[in-house]
Amino acid sequence: MIMEVKRSSRTKTAVSVIVPFVLLAVMIGYVFGPGAELISFGVVIPEISIEKVEFVDSEIIATVRNTGPIAVDIVMADINDRIYPAAIEPDKHLERFESAVVRIPFEWNEGEPYAVGLTIDDGTRFEKQVDVAAPSIQPTVEMITYFAIIGTYVGIIPVMIGLLWFPFISKLSRSKYKFFLALTVGLLLFLGISAAEEAIEISSENLSDVFNGVLLVATVSVVSFLALNYVGEKLKKRAGASKLAGPVAIALMIAIGIGLHNFGEGLAIGAAIVLGEAALGAVLIVGFALHNTTEGFAIAAPMARTKLMIGRLAAMGMIAGVPAIFGAWVGGFVYSPLAAVIFLAIGVGAIFQVIVLIIRWIQNEEGKLSNSSVLAGIAVGMIIMYITSILV
Amino acid sequence: MVGGSGGGQFTYEFIAGPVGVHPYHCHVMPVEEHIGHGLYGVFIVDPKDARQQADEMVMMLNGFDTDFDGENNLYAANTIPFYYQHHPIQVSTNELIRVYVVNMVGLDPINNFHLHGTLYKYYPTGTDMVPSEFTDMTTFSQSERGILEFEYEYTGRYMFHAHLTEFSEKGWSGVFYVKDSSHLNTDVYDYGS
């Protein structure tokens, strides 16, 4: 008897969940479905996005996606606004969100700028400007190694060097230590803002409007912030109530946040090298390397009140640094603006989550945030980051 | 000038003249946009004493602004870009070829015609029986036109195209495929009879 009651109440719940959906589907079918004439105003504007341009032997290859509201046909290709014979694979008809590869035989010159244009069946032309033509990089063993070495220089080594501040921080007086913790907040605040800026920039330059770049960054950042909050809490609980747990968990969260951020840096370097912007690539490497020593510091600071655990510290350095290598690989071999924006936005959420953790920790330890050494620390942290960022 | 909201039909009657090659076009505003999308045509007024027998053809030079940005995207001789490049015009050696060229490109102030492999006599507007030039290059302002007469001595493939190279790379270029007259299929050239 009781079972039956339970079952029937469950069915009732299920029905009450489903009914609104059914009604919504009926309404949408009625308004937009076949034969519906209610919404027949306005003009639909087709749109395509040239997502990637590659330069190979005697050929320019453009990857195009239909990012508009209706199906289109690609009918013509041009280089620098001059029409060329071209092939399209698998075919010229693109349904919504479908993509194709356009191959244009062309004797391009390394280092020259090229504009690749595609015209669709209604006569509208879409263009992608490439500032510097460079042969597209193939994932050979040498290139994989090369990017791994660059990632090591940018990510791992500077972070490890930064960790060497550990003994210095651990000997500081209470108020000075507070200053350095706050300094970490400043560093991270700057990183978070810069990662958000970078993500929005990539989305506005390379992503079609359908992806709503800024909202994509906001959504992914917030979700990542919430998810990492959850994970962080679990981590703390699991580590037990020991005094060690707090600082180590915070350092780990910082390392993860910085790792995601460094993935973004790796992406930028890999992409710059692929795009043939050697000067930019070199500047990025030097700049990020200097910049990243401060990240090592950020990891070391919260752990400075605990016993020195070289193994753990080094592991955290790796967590923070190694993603730079993956970033360089992804940026170099399979550059996708959408993936880059998502990774950077995850990094933004991670960094802000870490900021909240450290602030809470300072509050727990010291009570007040408006303390002058805390305020000075945050300010100095941001200023240091700004100055080192000029080098990038 | 006559205007209408479309679908109508009317008949023009006029006494043909003067002798030559002339364009006609839509005069409803916006004229430039209508011309930029092909609302025009050509008519030829032959002299009472017929011109010399020749392999005759009309080349209407077009510019098309397909995306309404005020600049032509495509150029062509007789509407289809690159058509004569992929479908060469077959002519024969030592036969007079007469081309009625009419420049209907709008938006760009000038256009031109350049011929490879031989030179032609040029009759501006086709109104005089005496050529004004013997050349391989003629510049046309908007709606300027004329008659070209030439022969090929040797077989081969010879380009004709705009020497405004931008236009030639956007469709206004073609090829004369000159064959030996001994192999000529005369039916092919039996135009208008």
Coordinates of all heavy atoms in Angstrom, one line a residue, chain A residues 251-323:
Chain A
A251 N 47.7 26.4 -1.3 CA 48.8 26.4 -2.3 C 48.5 25.5 -3.5 O 48.8 25.9 -4.6 CB 50.1 25.9 -1.5
L252 N 47.8 24.4 -3.2 CA 47.5 23.5 -4.3 C 46.5 24.2 -5.3 O 46.7 24.1 -6.5 CB 46.9 22.2 -3.8 CG 46.5 21.2 -4.8 CD1 47.7 20.8 -5.7 CD2 45.8 19.9 -4.2
M253 N 45.5 24.9 -4.7 CA 44.6 25.6 -5.5 C 45.2 26.7 -6.3 O 44.9 26.9 -7.5 CB 43.4 26.2 -4.6 CG 42.6 25.2 -3.9 SD 41.9 23.9 -4.9 CE 40.7 24.8 -5.8
I254 N 46.2 27.3 -5.7 CA 46.9 28.4 -6.4 C 47.7 27.8 -7.5 O 47.7 28.2 -8.7 CB 47.9 29.1 -5.4 CG1 47.1 30.0 -4.4 CG2 48.9 30.0 -6.2 CD1 48.0 30.7 -3.4
A255 N 48.3 26.6 -7.3 CA 49.1 25.9 -8.3 C 48.2 25.5 -9.5 O 48.6 25.7 -10.6 CB 49.8 24.7 -7.7
I256 N 47.0 25.0 -9.2 CA 46.1 24.6 -10.2 C 45.6 25.9 -11.0 O 45.7 25.9 -12.3 CB 44.8 23.9 -9.7 CG1 45.3 22.5 -9.1 CG2 43.8 23.7 -10.7 CD1 44.2 21.8 -8.3
G257 N 45.3 26.9 -10.3 CA 44.9 28.2 -11.0 C 46.0 28.7 -11.9 O 45.8 29.1 -13.0
I258 N 47.2 28.7 -11.3 CA 48.3 29.2 -12.1 C 48.6 28.3 -13.3 O 49.0 28.8 -14.4 CB 49.5 29.4 -11.2 CG1 49.3 30.7 -10.3 CG2 50.8 29.6 -12.0 CD1 50.4 30.9 -9.3
G259 N 48.4 27.0 -13.1 CA 48.7 26.0 -14.1 C 47.8 26.3 -15.3 O 48.2 26.4 -16.5
L260 N 46.5 26.6 -15.0 CA 45.5 26.9 -16.1 C 46.0 28.2 -16.8 O 45.9 28.3 -18.0 CB 44.1 27.0 -15.6 CG 43.5 25.7 -15.2 CD1 42.3 25.9 -14.4 CD2 43.1 25.0 -16.5
H261 N 46.4 29.2 -16.0 CA 46.9 30.4 -16.6 C 48.1 30.2 -17.5 O 48.2 30.7 -18.6 CB 47.2 31.4 -15.4 CG 47.9 32.6 -15.9 ND1 47.3 33.7 -16.4 CD2 49.3 32.9 -15.9 CE1 48.2 34.6 -16.8 NE2 49.4 34.1 -16.5
N262 N 49.0 29.3 -17.0 CA 50.2 29.1 -17.8 C 49.9 28.3 -19.1 O 50.6 28.4 -20.1 CB 51.2 28.3 -17.0 CG 51.9 29.2 -16.0 OD1 51.8 30.4 -16.1 ND2 52.7 28.6 -15.0
F263 N 48.8 27.5 -19.0 CA 48.4 26.8 -20.2 C 48.1 27.9 -21.3 O 48.4 27.8 -22.4 CB 47.1 26.0 -19.9 CG 46.6 25.3 -21.1 CD1 47.1 24.0 -21.5 CD2 45.6 25.8 -21.9 CE1 46.6 23.3 -22.6 CE2 45.1 25.1 -23.0 CZ 45.6 23.9 -23.3
G264 N 47.4 28.9 -20.8 CA 47.1 30.1 -21.7 C 48.3 30.7 -22.3 O 48.4 31.1 -23.4
E265 N 49.3 30.9 -21.4 CA 50.6 31.5 -21.9 C 51.3 30.6 -22.9 O 51.8 31.0 -23.9 CB 51.6 31.7 -20.7 CG 51.1 32.7 -19.8 CD 52.1 33.0 -18.6 OE1 53.1 32.2 -18.5 OE2 51.9 34.0 -17.9
G266 N 51.2 29.2 -22.7 CA 51.8 28.3 -23.6 C 51.1 28.4 -25.0 O 51.7 28.4 -26.0
L267 N 49.7 28.5 -24.9 CA 48.9 28.7 -26.1 C 49.4 29.9 -26.9 O 49.6 29.8 -28.1 CB 47.4 28.9 -25.7 CG 46.5 27.8 -25.5 CD1 45.1 28.3 -25.2 CD2 46.5 26.9 -26.7
A268 N 49.6 31.0 -26.2 CA 49.9 32.3 -26.8 C 51.3 32.1 -27.5 O 51.5 32.5 -28.7 CB 50.0 33.4 -25.8
I269 N 52.2 31.5 -26.9 CA 53.6 31.3 -27.4 C 53.5 30.4 -28.6 O 54.0 30.7 -29.7 CB 54.6 30.8 -26.4 CG1 54.8 31.9 -25.3 CG2 55.9 30.4 -27.0 CD1 55.5 31.4 -24.1
G270 N 52.8 29.2 -28.5 CA 52.7 28.3 -29.6 C 52.1 28.9 -30.8 O 52.6 28.8 -31.9
A271 N 51.0 29.6 -30.5 CA 50.3 30.3 -31.6 C 51.1 31.3 -32.3 O 51.2 31.4 -33.5 CB 49.0 30.9 -31.1
A272 N 51.9 32.1 -31.5 CA 52.8 33.1 -32.1 C 53.8 32.5 -33.0 O 54.1 33.0 -34.1 CB 53.4 34.0 -31.0
I273 N 54.4 31.4 -32.6 CA 55.4 30.7 -33.3 C 54.8 30.2 -34.6 O 55.4 30.3 -35.7 CB 56.1 29.6 -32.5 CG1 56.9 30.2 -31.4 CG2 57.0 28.7 -33.4 CD1 57.5 29.3 -30.4
V274 N 53.6 29.5 -34.5 CA 53.0 29.0 -35.7 C 52.6 30.1 -36.7 O 52.8 30.0 -37.9 CB 51.7 28.3 -35.3 CG1 50.8 28.0 -36.5 CG2 52.0 27.0 -34.6
L275 N 52.2 31.2 -36.1 CA 51.8 32.4 -37.0 C 53.0 33.1 -37.6 O 52.9 34.0 -38.3 CB 51.0 33.4 -36.3 CG 49.6 32.9 -35.8 CD1 48.9 33.9 -34.9 CD2 48.7 32.5 -37.0
G276 N 54.2 32.5 -37.2 CA 55.4 33.1 -37.8 C 55.9 34.4 -37.2 O 56.8 35.0 -37.7
E277 N 55.3 34.7 -36.1 CA 55.6 36.0 -35.4 C 56.8 35.7 -34.5 O 56.6 35.7 -33.3 CB 54.4 36.6 -34.8 CG 53.4 37.0 -35.8 CD 52.1 37.5 -35.2 OE1 52.1 37.9 -34.0 OE2 51.0 37.4 -35.8
A278 N 58.0 35.5 -35.1 CA 59.1 35.0 -34.3 C 59.5 36.0 -33.2 O 59.7 35.7 -32.1 CB 60.3 34.8 -35.2
A279 N 59.5 37.3 -33.6 CA 59.8 38.3 -32.6 C 58.9 38.3 -31.4 O 59.3 38.3 -30.3 CB 59.8 39.7 -33.3
L280 N 57.6 38.3 -31.7 CA 56.6 38.2 -30.7 C 56.8 37.0 -29.8 O 56.7 37.0 -28.6 CB 55.2 38.2 -31.3 CG 54.0 38.1 -30.3 CD1 54.0 39.2 -29.3 CD2 52.7 38.0 -31.1
G281 N 57.0 35.8 -30.5 CA 57.3 34.6 -29.7 C 58.4 34.7 -28.8 O 58.3 34.4 -27.6
A282 N 59.5 35.3 -29.2 CA 60.7 35.5 -28.4 C 60.4 36.4 -27.2 O 60.7 36.1 -26.0 CB 61.9 36.0 -29.2
V283 N 59.7 37.5 -27.5 CA 59.4 38.4 -26.4 C 58.5 37.8 -25.4 O 58.6 37.9 -24.2 CB 58.7 39.7 -27.0 CG1 58.2 40.6 -25.9 CG2 59.7 40.5 -27.8
L284 N 57.5 37.0 -25.9 CA 56.6 36.3 -25.0 C 57.3 35.4 -24.1 O 57.1 35.3 -22.9 CB 55.5 35.5 -25.8 CG 54.4 36.3 -26.5 CD1 53.5 35.3 -27.2 CD2 53.6 37.1 -25.5
I285 N 58.3 34.6 -24.6 CA 59.1 33.7 -23.9 C 59.8 34.4 -22.7 O 59.7 34.0 -21.5 CB 60.1 32.9 -24.8 CG1 59.3 32.0 -25.7 CG2 61.0 32.0 -23.9 CD1 60.1 31.4 -26.8
V286 N 60.6 35.4 -23.1 CA 61.3 36.2 -22.0 C 60.4 36.8 -21.0 O 60.5 36.6 -19.8 CB 62.2 37.3 -22.7 CG1 62.8 38.1 -21.6 CG2 63.2 36.7 -23.6
G287 N 59.3 37.4 -21.5 CA 58.4 38.1 -20.6 C 57.7 37.2 -19.7 O 57.7 37.4 -18.5
F288 N 57.1 36.1 -20.2 CA 56.4 35.1 -19.4 C 57.4 34.5 -18.4 O 57.0 34.2 -17.2 CB 55.7 34.0 -20.3 CG 54.5 34.5 -21.0 CD1 54.2 34.0 -22.2 CD2 53.6 35.4 -20.3 CE1 53.0 34.5 -22.9 CE2 52.5 35.9 -21.0 CZ 52.2 35.4 -22.2
A289 N 58.6 34.2 -18.8 CA 59.6 33.6 -17.9 C 59.8 34.5 -16.7 O 59.7 34.0 -15.5 CB 60.9 33.3 -18.6
L290 N 60.0 35.8 -16.9 CA 60.2 36.7 -15.8 C 59.0 36.8 -14.9 O 59.1 36.7 -13.7 CB 60.6 38.1 -16.3 CG 62.0 38.3 -16.8 CD1 62.1 39.7 -17.5 CD2 63.0 38.1 -15.7
H291 N 57.9 36.9 -15.6 CA 56.6 37.0 -15.0 C 56.3 35.8 -14.1 O 55.8 36.0 -13.0 CB 55.6 37.0 -16.2 CG 54.3 37.6 -15.9 ND1 54.0 38.9 -15.7 CD2 53.1 37.0 -15.9 CE1 52.8 39.1 -15.6 NE2 52.1 37.9 -15.7
N292 N 56.7 34.7 -14.5 CA 56.3 33.4 -13.9 C 57.0 33.1 -12.6 O 56.6 32.3 -11.8 CB 56.3 32.2 -14.8 CG 55.2 32.3 -15.9 OD1 54.4 33.2 -15.9 ND2 55.3 31.4 -16.9
T293 N 58.2 33.8 -12.4 CA 58.9 33.6 -11.2 C 58.0 34.1 -10.0 O 58.0 33.5 -8.9 CB 60.3 34.3 -11.1 OG1 60.0 35.6 -11.5 CG2 61.3 33.7 -12.0
T294 N 57.3 35.1 -10.3 CA 56.4 35.7 -9.3 C 55.3 34.6 -8.9 O 54.7 34.6 -7.8 CB 55.7 37.0 -9.7 OG1 55.0 36.7 -10.9 CG2 56.7 38.1 -10.0
E295 N 54.9 33.8 -9.9 CA 53.9 32.7 -9.6 C 54.5 31.7 -8.6 O 53.7 31.2 -7.8 CB 53.5 32.1 -10.9 CG 52.8 33.0 -11.9 CD 52.6 32.5 -13.2 OE1 53.0 31.3 -13.5 OE2 51.9 33.1 -14.0
G296 N 55.8 31.4 -8.8 CA 56.4 30.5 -7.8 C 56.3 31.0 -6.4 O 55.9 30.3 -5.4
F297 N 56.5 32.3 -6.3 CA 56.4 33.0 -5.1 C 55.0 32.9 -4.5 O 54.8 32.6 -3.3 CB 56.7 34.5 -5.3 CG 56.6 35.3 -4.0 CD1 57.7 35.4 -3.1 CD2 55.4 35.9 -3.7 CE1 57.5 36.1 -2.0 CE2 55.3 36.7 -2.6 CZ 56.4 36.8 -1.7
A298 N 54.0 33.0 -5.4 CA 52.6 32.9 -4.9 C 52.3 31.6 -4.3 O 51.4 31.4 -3.4 CB 51.6 33.2 -6.1
I299 N 52.9 30.5 -4.9 CA 52.6 29.2 -4.3 C 53.4 29.0 -3.0 O 52.9 28.4 -2.0 CB 53.1 28.1 -5.3 CG1 52.3 28.2 -6.6 CG2 53.0 26.7 -4.7 CD1 52.9 27.4 -7.8
A300 N 54.6 29.6 -2.9 CA 55.4 29.4 -1.7 C 54.8 30.1 -0.5 O 54.8 29.6 0.6 CB 56.8 29.9 -2.0
A301 N 54.3 31.3 -0.8 CA 53.8 32.2 0.3 C 52.9 31.5 1.3 O 53.2 31.5 2.5 CB 53.2 33.5 -0.2
P302 N 51.8 30.9 0.9 CA 50.8 30.3 1.9 C 51.4 29.1 2.6 O 51.0 28.8 3.7 CB 49.6 29.9 1.0 CG 50.1 29.8 -0.4 CD 51.2 30.8 -0.5
M303 N 52.4 28.5 2.0 CA 53.0 27.3 2.7 C 54.1 27.6 3.6 O 54.7 26.8 4.3 CB 53.5 26.3 1.6 CG 52.3 25.5 1.0 SD 52.9 24.4 -0.3 CE 53.6 23.1 0.7
A304 N 54.5 28.9 3.6 CA 55.7 29.3 4.3 C 55.6 29.1 5.8 O 56.6 29.0 6.5 CB 56.0 30.8 4.0
R305 N 54.4 29.0 6.4 CA 54.2 28.8 7.8 C 54.2 27.3 8.2 O 54.2 27.0 9.3 CB 52.9 29.5 8.3 CG 53.0 31.0 8.5 CD 53.9 31.3 9.7 NE 54.2 32.7 9.9 CZ 55.1 33.4 9.4 NH1 56.0 32.8 8.6 NH2 55.3 34.7 9.7
T306 N 54.2 26.5 7.2 CA 54.3 25.1 7.4 C 55.7 24.6 7.4 O 56.6 25.4 7.0 CB 53.4 24.3 6.4 OG1 54.1 24.4 5.1 CG2 52.0 24.8 6.4
K307 N 55.9 23.3 7.7 CA 57.2 22.8 7.6 C 57.6 22.7 6.1 O 56.8 22.5 5.2 CB 57.2 21.3 8.2 CG 58.3 21.1 9.2 CD 58.3 19.8 9.8 CE 57.7 18.7 8.9 NZ 57.5 17.4 9.6
L308 N 58.9 22.9 5.8 CA 59.4 22.8 4.4 C 59.2 21.3 3.9 O 59.8 20.4 4.5 CB 60.8 23.2 4.3 CG 61.4 23.1 2.9 CD1 60.7 24.0 1.9 CD2 62.9 23.5 3.0
M309 N 58.4 21.2 2.9 CA 58.2 19.9 2.3 C 58.6 20.0 0.8 O 57.8 20.4 0.0 CB 56.8 19.4 2.4 CG 56.4 19.1 3.9 SD 54.6 18.9 4.1 CE 54.0 20.5 4.0
I310 N 59.9 19.8 0.6 CA 60.4 20.0 -0.7 C 59.7 19.3 -1.8 O 59.3 19.8 -2.9 CB 61.9 19.7 -0.8 CG1 62.7 20.7 0.1 CG2 62.5 19.7 -2.2 CD1 64.1 20.4 0.3
G311 N 59.3 18.0 -1.5 CA 58.6 17.2 -2.5 C 57.3 17.8 -2.9 O 57.0 18.0 -4.1
R312 N 56.5 18.2 -1.9 CA 55.2 18.8 -2.2 C 55.3 20.1 -2.9 O 54.6 20.4 -3.9 CB 54.5 19.1 -0.9 CG 53.5 18.0 -0.6 CD 52.6 18.4 0.6 NE 52.2 17.2 1.2 CZ 51.4 17.1 2.2 NH1 50.9 18.2 2.7 NH2 51.0 16.0 2.8
L313 N 56.3 20.9 -2.5 CA 56.5 22.2 -3.1 C 56.9 22.0 -4.6 O 56.3 22.7 -5.5 CB 57.7 22.9 -2.4 CG 57.6 24.4 -2.3 CD1 56.3 24.9 -1.8 CD2 58.7 25.0 -1.5
A314 N 57.8 21.1 -4.8 CA 58.2 20.8 -6.2 C 57.0 20.3 -7.0 O 56.8 20.7 -8.2 CB 59.3 19.8 -6.2
A315 N 56.2 19.4 -6.4 CA 55.0 18.9 -7.1 C 54.1 20.0 -7.5 O 53.6 20.1 -8.7 CB 54.3 17.9 -6.3
M316 N 53.9 21.0 -6.6 CA 53.1 22.1 -6.9 C 53.6 23.0 -8.0 O 52.9 23.5 -8.9 CB 52.8 22.9 -5.7 CG 51.8 22.1 -4.8 SD 51.4 23.1 -3.4 CE 50.6 21.8 -2.4
G317 N 55.0 23.1 -8.0 CA 55.6 23.8 -9.1 C 55.4 23.2 -10.4 O 55.1 23.9 -11.4
M318 N 55.4 21.9 -10.4 CA 55.1 21.1 -11.7 C 53.7 21.3 -12.1 O 53.4 21.6 -13.3 CB 55.4 19.6 -11.5 CG 56.8 19.3 -11.2 SD 57.9 19.8 -12.6 CE 57.8 18.5 -13.7
I319 N 52.7 21.3 -11.1 CA 51.3 21.5 -11.5 C 51.1 22.8 -12.1 O 50.4 23.0 -13.1 CB 50.4 21.3 -10.2 CG1 50.4 19.9 -9.7 CG2 49.0 21.8 -10.4 CD1 49.7 19.7 -8.4
A320 N 51.8 23.8 -11.6 CA 51.7 25.2 -12.1 C 52.4 25.3 -13.4 O 52.0 26.1 -14.3 CB 52.2 26.2 -11.1
G321 N 53.6 24.6 -13.6 CA 54.4 24.9 -14.7 C 54.2 24.1 -16.0 O 54.2 24.5 -17.1
V322 N 53.9 22.8 -15.7 CA 53.8 21.8 -16.8 C 52.7 22.2 -17.9 O 52.9 22.0 -19.1 CB 53.6 20.4 -16.3 CG1 53.3 19.4 -17.5 CG2 54.9 19.9 -15.6
P323 N 51.6 22.7 -17.4 CA 50.6 23.1 -18.4 C 51.1 24.0 -19.5 O 50.5 24.0 -20.6 CB 49.5 23.7 -17.6 CG 49.6 23.1 -16.2 CD 51.1 22.9 -16.0

